[in-house]
Amino acid sequence: MDQTETPDSLFRHASRLQRANKMEAAIRAYASLLRKYPEHVRGLNRLGNCLLAVGKVREANMLFERASSLQPDSAVSHYNLGRTLDQLGDSKHAREALVTAVRLQPDLAIAWLQLGRVLDSSGQPELALGCYQLAFDNSAELETLPKRQGVPTPLAEMVTGARRALRGKYMALHRQAMQKLAGDFGKNALARVQACLDIQHGIRVPEHTDPLQKPESIYFPGLTARPWFDRSSFAWLADFESHWTQIRGEFLALSSAETSFKPYVGDGPDVPDSMQNLAGSHDWDAFHLYAGGKVIAEHAEQCPETARLLNSLPLARLAGLAPEAFFSLLRPGAHIQPHHGISNAKLAVHLPLIVPENCFIRVGDETRGWTEGKCQVFDDSFEHEAWNQGEQVRVVLIFEVWHPDLDDAETTALTMLSGCIESWAAETKASLPASL
């Protein structure tokens, strides 16, 4: 045998052919690898995938059976076995293989997706919905997968079907919640909330009054739409600002203690294009007191006065989304590129704590600077960006409050409606393993 024909070199050669979509050549190359190394589990799985691509399901199934027998702790092998068994109409054994896969690797999104499809086709739609939820929770990439080039049509259709099923569930949960809310507040008081839900579920098209306003997730119609808001709309603002030096003191204590500040933008696969320049970068660092709508107790204990003051404010509360409250550090030379916030139902508030010269923020078509101790309130569903062109770090406390046009019934409804999906998802995911 040629000394250069190691298992790795043969596998890499076959993989290159597969990536180039030269399936027949890749099949021959993987087969050559397996003749020399018949227990090469990755080769078995890859050859099985190539055979699936050319419609040879039964042959692929035999390879996946062998791979899962040779390496029983390989979640991928059991997933592959489960999906071919499903295609062959053996839903009972497909379910067993896929359950094994997700127990071995609970974050294997594609296996949860396939398991959901098997359960759905077997007449267990509620269990299927839980699997679909776990699939999307474990992979932000799934959402955009159907739009990518080269994705097999059956996989794209499975993702689209799972998302459609989940949206139907969310609509049903929202409908139930609205019935209860209507009993509490009256149907007329919730007309704008219902319109918001109709937009969210694609029943109604949003009518933005400004082309620069484009909330990423939730658009609430009928609210005053302007980038910057006057201080007179917020009665609590002056009292909050009177404590700004105490808040800055708590930030400085964090800094002197060398507390870990983390990049505001992570470096995962779901980072949007507008944030790629800051992905994983300390150019924009954050220390969160609230994240994803929940207080971070350990951080709040380190900043007790700041946490107390924030808790006294009309913070926007949308389960899993808001509020966020954090010390935001923008280092010299950093640029937060144009982007939009998730909803016009909430406004962003900046309390500047350390502001060197040449630091700016643009919201809509107006650019402003910051003044230490003086809050700025703006609608971050408008396009906005920020720069630090100075020579020192800029520090701002950022938090989120309800839009002042919303009344108590509407804010209560928004909180409840966002929470009902999160509660269902949490309960479903907690009970799902025992149900499988």
Side-chain angles (χ1 to χ4, degrees), residues 330-335 356-361 367 370 385-394:
L330 197 62
R331 303 190 191 281
H335 177 203
E357 293 182 356
N358 297 317
C359 290
F360 308 98
I361 179 171
T367 299
W370 290 273
E385 62 182 320
W387 306 263
N388 182 351
Q389 297 173 345
E391 298 180 355
Q392 296 177 313
V393 67
R394 183 233 63 183

Side-chain angles (χ1 to χ4, degrees), residues 45-196:
N45 277 303
R46 289 291 187 87
L47 177 54
N49 286 330
C50 290
L51 290 171
L52 274 181
V54 297
K56 297 181 178 181
V57 181
R58 200 168 296 279
E59 293 90 333
N61 176 255
M62 292 172 63
L63 292 168
F64 296 145
E65 278 188 345
R66 178 162 172 75
S68 58
S69 297
L70 286 169
Q71 195 173 340
D73 61 349
S74 168
V76 170
S77 297
H78 289 287
Y79 155 68
N80 283 329
L81 176 60
R83 68 189 176 118
T84 52
L85 287 168
D86 180 30
Q87 290 183 50
L88 292 169
D90 188 351
S91 58
K92 178 178 181 294
H93 291 104
R95 173 174 174 165
E96 291 174 358
L98 292 164
V99 168
T100 299
V102 296
R103 285 179 175 162
L104 286 168
Q105 188 177 334
D107 64 350
L108 187 57
I110 195 71
W112 282 114
L113 186 71
Q114 186 75 46
L115 178 57
R117 205 213 73 80
V118 169
L119 291 167
D120 209 354
S121 63
S122 302
Q124 296 178 288
E126 285 300 314
L127 279 180
L129 286 167
C131 293
Y132 294 152
Q133 185 69 45
L134 275 162
F136 286 100
D137 284 353
N138 280 303
S139 175
E141 291 183 290
L142 272 186
E143 192 76 46
T144 59
L145 187 143
K147 298 178 181 178
R148 292 185 209 155
Q149 289 186 345
V151 174
T153 299
L155 177 57
E157 290 176 347
M158 185 164 57
V159 173
T160 301
R163 177 48 74 194
R164 187 186 305 116
L166 281 174
R167 285 183 181 137
K169 180 63 177 182
Y170 297 162
M171 286 181 71
L173 290 167
H174 282 160
R175 199 158 40 241
Q176 293 168 9
M178 284 296 283
Q179 289 172 355
K180 181 183 184 307
L181 288 161
D184 294 338
F185 297 105
K187 189 174 181 179
N188 291 339
L190 302 173
R192 294 196 303 183
V193 177
Q194 185 60 59
C196 175

